[in-house]
C-alpha cells in the first residue's frame, strides 16, 4: 500500500480535533439517495457510471432515505411530486444535505412562466445546500457541486448550530 | 364455512430505483401474485402543451428535447418534420442525411440506456457500465456537433443549428468500428446469460392482438412478432433510400412476445442502425444546412399529424395552426404514454419481482409519459 | 387502401345524419365530422368493417376551439362563454395502411362525448387526459379520473384557453 503502511505500522498517534475527524469522515462518504426526477437524472446516472465515476468521492446510491446522507434533486419538481420529496427529506437521518441539480430544481428553469404544475424551485419546500446550474448540468458540474458540498461539510461545527 | 381472504395493496414508487423515474404503481396482491396493477402518472407533468401554445414555432423545439430526454434528437426530428409539412418546405439533401445519421446514433444511445438499466433492474450491474461507456462515445459525437450532451436543440425547422464538425465523419466511422464488437460482448454478457434468461423468458407475454388494441408500438410491438416500423411503413425523410431489416421477436428463449423478445429486439435494432449510418455517412452531399430555414415561420391555417419511429415507438405530433406565429394546439402522442397502459394487462398473474422485469422491458421515459 | 372520400361515402351510407361532413380544405389531411353522441358506433363500425379495418387509434386529442364569446370576468380577466370543445381521432389500419381523421365537437358548457374505450383500449388514457386537460366528459368511460394533474386539483382544466392558475396549491406557491 505504499507510504502509508510504514506511517501507521508502529501504532502511531494522530492528533486532530473531533470536529475535523467527524467532518472528514462525513464528507468522504456521502451516500446519496438513489432518486432521479427528470432529464438531470440521466446526467446523474452518467456521473455514477463508468466515465465520471462518482464512487471515487465516496458517493454511493442508497435506495432508502433512511440510510442516505444526501439527496440530489435531479430535475423538475412538480406540485404532485413536491409533497413526496418533502416526505423523503423528512425520512432522512441528520445530518442531511441537499444538492439542487439543474435549473428546474433551482428556480423552475424553462418552465418558470407557463408551468402551471411546476414548483418554481425546490427550495420552496426543503432547504438546499448547493445549487448546480445548467440545463442539464454536465457531470463535471455535478462533481463540482459535490466538491462544494464537501467544502461546506469540512467547515461545519458540531457545537454551533448551523445557519 | 369457507375462509375469505383479502387482497393486499402495495405501493411502489414514486421513489423506487427500478421505476425509471417517478412512476407510482399501485399493486393489488394475493400473496405474491399480482391481481391488478394501477399506474399513477403525472409526477413529472411539465405542461409541455401549454408551453407550446405560448411559444413561437422555433421556440417549442427546446421543450420537445425535454420530453423524451433519452432521445432528444428524435423528438426534434418529429416536430420539425411536422412543421415543415405544415409549411410545405423542402429541406436540402445534406440536412436530410445528417438528420438520419443523428437520429440513428440517438437510437443506439437510447437503446444502450434501455439495455443497461434493464440489466441493472434484473441484478446485473456490469452491463450497465459497459453500456454507459459506449453511450459516452455517442454523446461525444453529439457534443462536437452542437455542444450539448443530452438536450441538443439541434434540428431546426428547415435545417440544423450547426453544420457537422470536419472530423465528424471520421469519428463516426471509428465509433462504428469500435462499437460493433461490443454488441457481441453484450450478448455474451447479458442476453445469453442463464440468470437473465430465467428472469425474462416466458414473463409478461404480450399477444399481438392485445398489443394492437392497446396501441403499443416500437420494439414492444415488434417483440410480439409484427414487423411494423414506420421507417419502412411510411418512410419519412430519406429512410426509403437505405437498406435495413426490421427485427421481430421470435421466441428464441421462450414464447413470442415475452420480456426477453422485447429486450432482444432492441439489441438487434442497434445493429440495423449501424447499417443505416454506414450507408449514409459516405453519401453526405455538400451544401448549406441553413439555406432553407425560413426567416419568419407563419404556417397557413390547418392541421397536421406527423409520426416518426422514436426509439420507443410511434411519436406523433398533432399541430393545429390558426395562421399566427404560435401553434394553436400541439398534442404529442407519446409512445411511452401509450405503451405504459398495457402494463396492467402484462403483470396479471405474475410475481411481484416480475413487475420490475416487465416494466423494464417496455422501456418507458417518464418525461414523455407525463410531458 | 381507401381514400378519405371513399371512407366518407361508406360512413354516410351507414350512418346518415350522424356523419356530418368532410372538410378537404386542409393543407394536409381531410377531416370527417361526426356527431359526438354517435362517435362510438362510428368507430366500432370503422374497426370491424371488413373493407376498412381501422385496428389502431394513433392519437386522440382534445382541443379548445376558443370560438365562443370573450367576456370580462369580475376580476378583469378574460373568460370564454359558449363555443365548442373538440376531440380529434387519428385512425390507422395496419392491414390496409390507410388513415383517417375524425372530429367531433361538443358544447363548452356541457361537453359530453361518447367514449371509444370499448373499441380501442388506447383511448382509455387518452380520454382521461382530455378530461383532465379540457374537462370533456366521456360517457361510459370505465375510470374517468384526472390522470396527469393531482386528483385533488380544483382549479379547473389547464389547457382551456381561459384557464387561470391558482395562487397556492396545498400551501405551496404556484406562480414564480
Amino acid at each position: 500500500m505504499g507510504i502509508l503502511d510504514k506511517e501507521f505500522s508502529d501504532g502511531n498517534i494522530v492528533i486532530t480535533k473531533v470536529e475535523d475527524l467527524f467532518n472528514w469522515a462525513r464528507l468522504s462518504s456521502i451516500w446519496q439517495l438513489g432518486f432521479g426526477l427528470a432529464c438531470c437524472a440521466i446526467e446523474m446516472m452518467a456521473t455514477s457510471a463508468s466515465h465520471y465515476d462518482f464512487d471515487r468521492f465516496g458517493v454511493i446510491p442508497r435506495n432508502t432515505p433512511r440510510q442516505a446522507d444526501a439527496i440530489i434533486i435531479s430535475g423538475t419538481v412538480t406540485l404532485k411530486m413536491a409533497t413526496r420529496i418533502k416526505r423523503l427529506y423528512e425520512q432522512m437521518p441528520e445530518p442531511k444535505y441537499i444538492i439542487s441539480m439543474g435549473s428546474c430544481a433551482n428556480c423552475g428553469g424553462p418552465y418558470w412562466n407557463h408551468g402551471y404544475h411546476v414548483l418554481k424551485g425546490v427550495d420552496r419546500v426543503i432547504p438546499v445546500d448547493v445549487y448546480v446550474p445548467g440545463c442539464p448540468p454536465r457531470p463535471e458540474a455535478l462533481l463540482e457541486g459535490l466538491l462544494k458540498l464537501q467544502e461546506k461539510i469540512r467547515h461545519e461545527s458540531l457545537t454551533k448550530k448551523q445557519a | 364455512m369457507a375462509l375469505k381472504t383479502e387482497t393486499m395493496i402495495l405501493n411502489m414508487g414514486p421513489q423506487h430505483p427500478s421505476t425509471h423515474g417517478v412512476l407510482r404503481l399501485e399493486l393489488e396482491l394475493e400473496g405474491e401474485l399480482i391481481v391488478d396493477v394501477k399506474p399513477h402518472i403525472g409526477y413529472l407533468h411539465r405542461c409541455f402543451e401549454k408551453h407550446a401554445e405560448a411559444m413561437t414555432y422555433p421556440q417549442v423545439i427546446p421543450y420537445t428535447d425535454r420530453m423524451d430526454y433519452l432521445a432528444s434528437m428524435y423528438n426534434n426530428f418529429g416536430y420539425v418534420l411536422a412543421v415543415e409539412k405544415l409549411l410545405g418546405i423542402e429541406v436540402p439533401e445534406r440536412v436530410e442525411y445528417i438528420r438520419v445519421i443523428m437520429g440513428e446514433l440517438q437510437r443506439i444511445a437510447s437503446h444502450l440506456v434501455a439495455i443497461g438499466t434493464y440489466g441493472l433492474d434484473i441484478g446485473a450491474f456490469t452491463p450497465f457500465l459497459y453500456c454507459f461507456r459506449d453511450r459516452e462515445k455517442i454523446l461525444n459525437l453529439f457534443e462536437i456537433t452542437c455542444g450539448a450532451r443530452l438536450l441538443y436543440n439541434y434540428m431546426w425547422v428547415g435545417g440544423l443549428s450547426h453544420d457537422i464538425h470536419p472530423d465528424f465523419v471520421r469519428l463516426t466511422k471509428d465509433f462504428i468500428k469500435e462499437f460493433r464488437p461490443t454488441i457481441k460482448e453484450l450478448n455474451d454478457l447479458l442476453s445469453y446469460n442463464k440468470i437473465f434468461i430465467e428472469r425474462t423468458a416466458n414473463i409478461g407475454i404480450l399477444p399481438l392482438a392485445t398489443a394492437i388494441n392497446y396501441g403499443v408500438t416500437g420494439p414492444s410491438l415488434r417483440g410480439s412478432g409484427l414487423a411494423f416500423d414506420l421507417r419502412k411503413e411510411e418512410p419519412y425523410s430519406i429512410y426509403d433510400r437505405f437498406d435495413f431489416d426490421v427485427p421481430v421477436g421470435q421466441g428464441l428463449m421462450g414464447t413470442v412476445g415475452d420480456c426477453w423478445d422485447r429486450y432482444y429486439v432492441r439489441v438487434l435494432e442497434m445493429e440495423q442502425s449501424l447499417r443505416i449510418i454506414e450507408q449514409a455517412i459516405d453519401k453526405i452531399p455538400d451544401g448549406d444546412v441553413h439555406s432553407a430555414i425560413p426567416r419568419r415561420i407563419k404556417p397557413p391555417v390547418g392541421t397536421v399529424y406527423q409520426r416518426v419511429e422514436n426509439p420507443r415507438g410511434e411519436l406523433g405530433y398533432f399541430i393545429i395552426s390558426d395562421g399566427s406565429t404560435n401553434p394553436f394546439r400541439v398534442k404529442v402522442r407519446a409512445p411511452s404514454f401509450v405503451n405504459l397502459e398495457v402494463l396492467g394487462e402484462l403483470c396479471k398473474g405474475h410475481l411481484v419481482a416480475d413487475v420490475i422485469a416487465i416494466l423494464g422491458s417496455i422501456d418507458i421515459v417518464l418525461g414523455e409519459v407525463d410531458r | 387502401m381507401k381514400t378519405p372520400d371513399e371512407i366518407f361515402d361508406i360512413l354516410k351510407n351507414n350512418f346518415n345524419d350522424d356523419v356530418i361532413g368532410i372538410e378537404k380544405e386542409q393543407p394536409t389531411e381531410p377531416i370527417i365530422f361526426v356527431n359526438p353522441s354517435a362517435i362510438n358506433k362510428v368507430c366500432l363500425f370503422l374497426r370491424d368493417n371488413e373493407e376498412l379495418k381501422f385496428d389502431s387509434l394513433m392519437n386522440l386529442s382534445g382541443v379548445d376551439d376558443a370560438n365562443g364569446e370573450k367576456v370580462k370576468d369580475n376580476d378583469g380577466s378574460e373568460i370564454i362563454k359558449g363555443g365548442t370543445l373538440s376531440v380529434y381521432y387519428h385512425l390507422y389500419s395496419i392491414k390496409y395502411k390507410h388513415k383517417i381523421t375524425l372530429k367531433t365537437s361538443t358544447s363548452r358548457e356541457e361537453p359530453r362525448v361518447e367514449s371509444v374505450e370499448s373499441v380501442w383500449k388506447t383511448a382509455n388514457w387518452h380520454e382521461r387526459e382530455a378530461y383532465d386537460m379540457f374537462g370533456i366528459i366521456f360517457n361510459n368511460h370505465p375510470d374517468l379520473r384526472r390522470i396527469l394533474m393531482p386528483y385533488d386539483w380544483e382549479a379547473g382544466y389547464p389547457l382551456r384557453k381561459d384557464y387561470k392558475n391558482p395562487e397556492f396549491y396545498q400551501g405551496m406557491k404556484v406562480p414564480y
Side-chain angles (χ1 to χ4, degrees), chain C residues 35-52:
Chain C
N35 194 336
S37 59
I39 186 80
N40 55 343
K41 280 177 268 168
V42 173
C43 285
L44 193 66
F45 176 80
L46 284 169
R47 185 191 72 177
D48 289 343
N49 186 297
E50 277 306 315
E51 287 179 330
L52 301 172

Side-chain angles (χ1 to χ4, degrees), chain B residues 47 51 79 161 190 210-211 289 302:
Chain B
C47 333
H51 282 89
Y79 178 76
S161 71
L190 189 64
T210 315
V289 296

Side-chain angles (χ1 to χ4, degrees), chain B residues 49 305 318 329 331-333 337-338 371, chain C residues 39 43 57-63 86-91 102 104 113-117 120 122-131 134 136 138 141:
Chain B
E49 287 161 15
Y305 182 75
F318 174 55
R329 167 96 170 103
K331 155 92 187 184
V332 182
R333 186 253 195 236
F337 178 78
V338 179
R371 280 155 290 145
Chain C
I39 186 80
C43 285
L57 173 70
M58 291 190 286
N59 191 11
L60 184 155
S61 40
V63 175
S86 299
V87 183
Y88 284 76
Y89 303 79
H90 292 82
L91 314 180
L102 304 182
T104 176
V113 179
E114 285 295 320
S115 167
V116 296
E117 194 268 348
W120 301 285
T122 330
N124 189 332
W125 281 19
H126 278 297
E127 285 179 353
R128 275 178 72 186
E129 193 193 328
Y131 166 71
F134 297 95
I136 300 169
F138 291 89
H141 189 283

